[in-house]
C-alpha cells in the first residue's frame, strides 16, 4: 500500500546503527498499518536484545569523539537537521498523518513544531556556560563545568511521532550526548525518516542510533538499555505504568531519568469567564489529535451560573466536527491509533452513562463511507460527570468531554487536584485575583490561564506527581542531558 510521499529515501525501512541501515540481527520484521483502514503499509525490523546492544556499543564508541566536537560545530549540524526537516514538511506531514491518523494540516503542523525544538536546541548548544565560584581561601580557583551525561536511551510514544523524537534527540545531541532510540511501534516510519535527515545533516556514525521493535519485542530491547551501565540516562514519554517500570528497573545503574507521563488535566470555567474564549480554548486543547494528547483536558468543570450556556455552545461546536481519514482534506478528527484505544474510549463512555452521565452529543463509534476501519469515535460531550467515573479517574485519550457542574472555587480546586496526575491544568476567569490564586493552587507542571494552546519550544514542558519529572524544551530541556562537574585548583599563590 502506497504512502504517496514524493521522496522515497525518507523510508529506509531499517534500523540505523553505527552509521549503517541494517536489518534486525535475526532478520524478523513487524507490520506498520494505517489506522484509517487497518491496511498494512510496510514492514520494519523487529529488533531484539542483540540489536539493542549493538546500538549501545556504537553510541558508547561515538561518545568519545562527539563530546569533543566544538559546540558551535555541533550546533551547525543540528541546525542543518532543522533545515532539512522544514524542507521536507510536506512529506513528513503526510507520513505522520498516514501512520498516526491525525489530519494532514495537523501532521504538517507537527513537523514545524518538531523543527522548532531542533532549531532551539541548535542555538542552545553554544550556551552551556559554566560558573566561576569565588574561592573562600587565597590561592584557589573554583569552577563548575557542564558536561554531557553520556549515552542516552530515548523511548517515544506514537501520538507525536516527530515532536517527541525532536524534543529528546535535539537536546541530547546539543549537549554532546550520543543516542539510542526505540520509537513507538505504531509510528516507526516518521522516526526513521527524521534519522535519515539527521544522517544527511552530518550527524556522525554512531552518534544517533535507532532500532524499531513490535510491542512484544520492546521489553527485550529496552531491558538491555536499562541494565547496561553505559547508558547514563533514559528519556521517556508514554504511560505512567511504563514510566514507573523504567524508573524501578534503572535503579541498579542509577541512571538519570526524564519521564513525561500520563495526565488527567482539569479545565475549569468560572462564572466570570469569557465563555466564547473558553469554548474556543477547550476546542483547541481537547480536540487536537482527536484528544490523543497528554496535555488535553480530561475533566471539564463549569461553574453553575454558566454551565448550561457553556454546554450549549460547546455541543454546537463539537457536533459540527468532521470525522474522517487523514487523506480527506475536510477531516478534523482522524481515526484513533488502534483498536485498544477505541475500546478504552468506549468503556469510559459506557461506564459514565451507567453511572448517571448523559450524552449530549456523540457517544458512539463512527462508521461511514469514509470511516471504514473500526477506529473512529464521534466527538462526544457528556454532562453530569462525577469523580468516581472511569473518565474522571483515567486518561481517556480520545475525543470525549465529560462536564461536571461546580459551585465554589474551593470545591473545584479540591476536585481538580484530586488525582495522582499533574501534567497540565487550564482555567478561564477574568478576575485577576482569582487568576493568581488558581495558578498557585493547581497541582500541575503546566497551567493554561485563558489559553488552550500551551506548548512552545522556549517553555519548560513537564509534570509533577504521577505525570513524571524532568522538563523538555527551554533552557531546562538541555540541562536534563548534562551534569555539573566542580573543579577546584589549589596552590595558585
Ligand atoms: P506506552 O507507555 O504504552 O508506550 C510508550 C512507549 O513505551 C512506546 O515506545 C512503547 O513501545 C514503550 N513501551 C511499552 N511497554 C514498554 C516496556 N515494558 N518497557 C519499555 N518500553 C515500553 O504509552 P502509549 O499507550 O503508547 O501512549 C499513551 C500514553 O502516553 C498516555 O498515557 C499519554 O498520556 C502518555 N503520553 C504522555 C506524553 C507527555 O508528554 N507527558 C506525551 C504523549 C503521550
Amino acid at each position: 500500500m502506497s504512502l504517496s510521499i514524493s521522496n522515497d529515501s525518507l523510508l529506509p525501512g531499517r534500523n540505523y546503527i553505527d552509521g549503517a541501515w541494517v536489518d534486525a540481527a535475526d532478520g524478523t520484521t513487524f507490520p506498520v498499518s494505517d489506522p484509517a483502514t487497518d491496511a498494512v503499509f510496510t514492514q520494519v525490523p523487529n529488533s531484539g536484545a542483540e540489536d539493542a546492544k549493538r546500538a549501545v556499543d556504537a553510541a558508547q564508541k561515538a561518545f568519545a569523539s562527539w563530546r569533543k566536537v566544538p559546540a558551535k560545530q555541533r550546533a551547525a549540524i543540528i541546525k542543518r537537521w532543522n533545515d532539512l526537516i522544514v524542507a521536507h514538511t510536506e512529506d513528513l506531514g503526510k507520513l505522520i498523518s498516514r501512520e498516526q491518523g491525525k489530519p494532514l494540516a495537523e501532521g504538517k503542523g507537527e513537523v514545524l513544531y518538531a523543527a522548532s525544538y531542533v532549531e532551539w536546541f541548535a542555538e542552545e548548544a553554544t550556551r552551556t556556560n559554566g560558573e566561576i565560584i569565588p574561592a573562600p581561601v587565597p590561592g584557589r580557583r573554583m569552577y563548575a563545568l557542564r558536561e554531557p551525561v553520556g549515552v542516552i536511551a530515548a523511548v517515544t510514544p506514537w501520538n507525536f511521532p516527530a515532536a517527541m523524537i525532536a524534543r529528546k534527540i535535539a537536546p541530547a545531541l546539543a549537549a554532546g550526548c550520543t543516542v539510542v532510540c526505540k520509537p513507538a511501534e505504531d509510528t516507526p516510519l516518521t522516526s526513521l525518516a527524521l534519522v535519515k535527515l539527521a544522517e544527511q545533516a552530518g550527524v556522525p556514525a554512531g552518534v544517533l542510533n535507532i532500532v524499531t521493535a513490535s510491542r512484544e519485542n520492546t521489553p527485550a530491547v529496552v531491558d538491555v538499555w536499562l541494565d547496561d551501565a553505559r547508558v547514563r540516562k533514559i528519556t521517556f514519554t508514554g504511560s505512567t505504568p511504563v514510566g514507573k517500570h523504567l524508573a524501578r528497573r534503572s535503579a541498579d545503574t542509577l541512571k538519570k531519568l526524564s519521564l513525561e507521563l500520563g495526565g488527567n488535566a482539569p479545565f475549569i470555567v468560572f462564572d466570570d469567564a469569557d465563555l466564547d474564549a473558553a469554548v474556543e480554548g477547550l476546542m483547541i486543547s481537547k480536540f487536537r489529535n482527536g484528544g490523543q494528547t497528554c496535555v488535553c483536558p480530561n475533566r471539564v468543570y463549569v461553574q453553575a451560573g454558566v454551565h448550561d450556556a457553556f454546554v450549549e455552545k460547546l455541543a454546537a461546536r463539537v457536533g459540527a466536527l468532521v470525522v474522517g481519514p487523514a487523506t480527506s482534506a475536510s477531516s478534523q478528527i482522524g481515526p484513533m491509533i488502534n483498536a485498544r484505544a477505541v475500546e478504552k474510549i468506549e468503556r469510559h463512555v459506557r461506564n459514565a452513562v451507567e453511572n448517571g452521565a448523559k450524552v449530549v452529543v456523540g457517544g458512539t463509534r463512527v462508521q461511514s463511507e469514509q470511516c471504514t476501519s473500526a477506529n473512529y469515535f464521534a466527538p462526544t460531550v457528556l454532562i453530569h460527570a462525577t469523580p468516581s467515573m472511569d473518565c474522571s479517574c483515567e486518561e481517556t485519550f480520545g475525543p470525549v468531554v465529560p462536564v461536571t457542574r461546580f459551585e465554589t472555587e474551593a470545591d473545584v480546586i479540591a476536585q481538580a487536584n484530586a488525582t495522582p496526575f499533574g501534567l497540565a491544568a487550564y482555567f478561564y476567569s477574568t478576575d485577576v485575583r482569582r487568576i493568581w490564586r488558581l495558578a498557585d493552587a493547581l497541582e500541575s507542571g503546566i497551567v493554561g490561564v485563558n489559553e488552550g494552546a500551551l506548548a512552545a519550544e522556549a517553555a519548560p514542558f513537564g509534570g509533577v506527581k504521577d505525570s513524571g519529572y524532568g522538563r523538555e524544551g527551554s533552557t531546562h530541556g538541555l540541562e536534563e542531558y548534562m551534569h555539573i562537574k566542580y573543579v577546584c585548583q589549589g596552590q595558585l599563590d
Side-chain angles (χ1 to χ4, degrees):
M1 182 188 180
S2 167
L3 279 148
S4 58
I5 67 169
S6 63
N7 184 346
D8 279 348
S9 78
L10 291 178
L11 297 169
R14 289 170 153 190
N15 290 334
Y16 186 64
I17 301 176
D18 207 8
W21 292 96
V22 292
D23 292 326
D26 67 3
T28 56
T29 60
F30 71 98
V32 184
S33 59
D34 179 353
T37 60
D38 286 333
V40 172
F41 289 129
T42 184
Q43 301 271 333
V44 293
N46 198 5
S47 311
E50 193 179 335
D51 307 286
K53 180 176 175 304
R54 286 190 52 222
V56 179
D57 292 344
Q60 177 68 12
K61 190 172 70 170
F63 180 57
S65 48
W66 181 245
R67 64 178 302 181
K68 292 193 182 131
V69 172
K72 189 163 175 162
Q73 219 172 306
R74 283 202 304 268
I77 293 171
I78 301 166
K79 177 70 171 56
R80 268 202 302 278
W81 190 27
N82 165 70
D83 295 345
L84 284 167
I85 293 171
V86 173
H88 290 84
T89 299
E90 192 70 31
D91 272 349
L92 291 171
K94 269 190 199 158
L95 213 44
I96 293 170
S97 291
R98 296 304 304 279
E99 67 172 343
Q100 196 267 310
K102 65 183 60 165
L104 184 56
E106 285 192 39
K108 288 198 262 186
E110 183 186 335
V111 177
L112 297 178
Y113 175 61
S116 72
Y117 284 89
V118 178
E119 184 182 42
W120 168 268
F121 285 113
E123 291 167 353
E124 285 298 298
T126 59
R127 295 177 195 138
T128 56
N129 303 346
E131 296 159 20
I132 305 286
I133 301 151
V137 291
R140 238 188 228 182
R141 272 296 157 103
M142 295 163 53
Y143 55 98
L145 306 171
R146 288 202 162 77
E147 291 191 328
V149 300
V151 176
I152 306 298
V155 179
T156 59
W158 48 266
N159 60 346
F160 287 91
M164 296 301 122
I165 293 279
R167 284 204 325 205
K168 295 177 183 331
I169 293 179
L173 300 183
C177 299
T178 55
V179 178
V180 296
C181 174
K182 205 281 318 160
E185 54 279 2
D186 290 299
T187 56
L189 303 179
T190 306
S191 336
L192 294 175
L194 289 176
V195 172
K196 187 78 195 171
L197 294 176
E199 179 190 29
Q200 281 176 25
V203 173
V207 168
L208 173 54
N209 307 276
I210 187 164
V211 298
T212 55
S214 65
R215 198 159 183 93
E216 294 68 35
N217 270 30
T218 285
V221 168
V222 179
D223 285 355
V224 166
W225 296 344
L226 289 165
D227 294 342
D228 192 327
R230 295 174 300 169
V231 175
R232 295 313 314 143
K233 178 183 168 99
I234 304 275
T235 173
F236 171 74
T237 298
S239 62
T240 296
V242 173
K244 288 184 176 177
H245 160 71
L246 300 181
R248 272 186 220 110
R249 180 87 188 233
S250 60
D252 279 345
T253 51
L254 283 181
K255 298 184 201 315
K256 209 170 153 83
L257 286 163
S258 295
L259 302 173
E260 302 277 354
L261 308 177
N264 184 5
F267 185 104
I268 306 166
V269 182
F270 287 97
D271 281 345
D272 57 43
D274 174 336
L275 271 203
D276 290 326
V279 170
E280 188 58 37
L282 183 56
M283 295 302 292
I284 290 168
S285 55
K286 179 70 215 184
F287 290 103
R288 191 161 64 114
N289 201 12
Q292 301 172 108
T293 75
C294 47
V295 289
C296 77
N298 199 54
R299 299 168 291 152
V300 176
Y301 298 100
V302 186
Q303 204 161 12
V306 293
H307 176 274
D308 293 356
F310 182 84
V311 169
E312 192 181 327
K313 283 173 189 277
L314 180 68
R317 290 286 301 275
V318 173
L321 287 170
V322 178
V323 181
T327 44
S328 163
S330 59
S331 297
Q332 293 168 296
I333 304 289
M336 301 295 105
I337 188 69
N338 53 35
R340 211 160 34 102
V342 195
E343 282 156 17
K344 182 178 187 188
I345 298 165
E346 218 165 30
R347 170 170 66 80
H348 279 195
V349 172
R350 196 171 48 241
N351 169 274
V353 171
E354 282 169 6
N355 287 284
K358 183 176 162 220
V359 176
V360 180
V361 55
T364 57
R365 295 188 194 220
V366 178
Q367 284 275 289
S368 68
E369 211 173 293
Q370 280 217 312
C371 304
T372 54
S373 77
N375 300 332
Y376 294 91
F377 201 89
T380 298
V381 178
L382 303 170
I383 53 172
H384 310 315
T386 61
S388 61
M389 291 174 180
D390 288 348
C391 63
S392 305
C393 306
E394 300 169 20
E395 198 173 29
T396 303
F397 237 55
V400 178
V401 184
V403 180
T404 302
R405 183 193 293 260
F406 74 93
E407 299 290 339
T408 68
E409 182 181 306
D411 179 38
V412 79
I413 290 172
Q415 290 197 60
N417 288 339
T419 168
F421 299 98
L423 185 55
Y426 306 79
F427 65 93
Y428 276 71
S429 169
T430 53
D431 177 338
V432 74
R433 283 182 288 187
R434 192 203 297 281
I435 287 173
W436 284 102
R437 278 197 304 274
L438 260 281
D440 282 351
L442 291 169
E443 294 169 2
S444 70
I446 304 169
V447 179
V449 184
N450 296 328
E451 180 59 64
L454 309 175
E457 74 278 11
F461 186 102
V464 297
K465 300 178 9 186
D466 268 7
S467 293
Y469 39 75
R471 294 293 177 268
E472 293 190 332
S474 82
T475 51
H476 304 289
L478 190 56
E479 284 160 15
E480 299 283 337
Y481 295 89
M482 308 198 87
H483 58 228
I484 290 174
K485 178 185 276 176
Y486 159 52
V487 182
C488 177
Q489 185 177 0
Q491 307 297 326
L492 289 174
D493 281 349

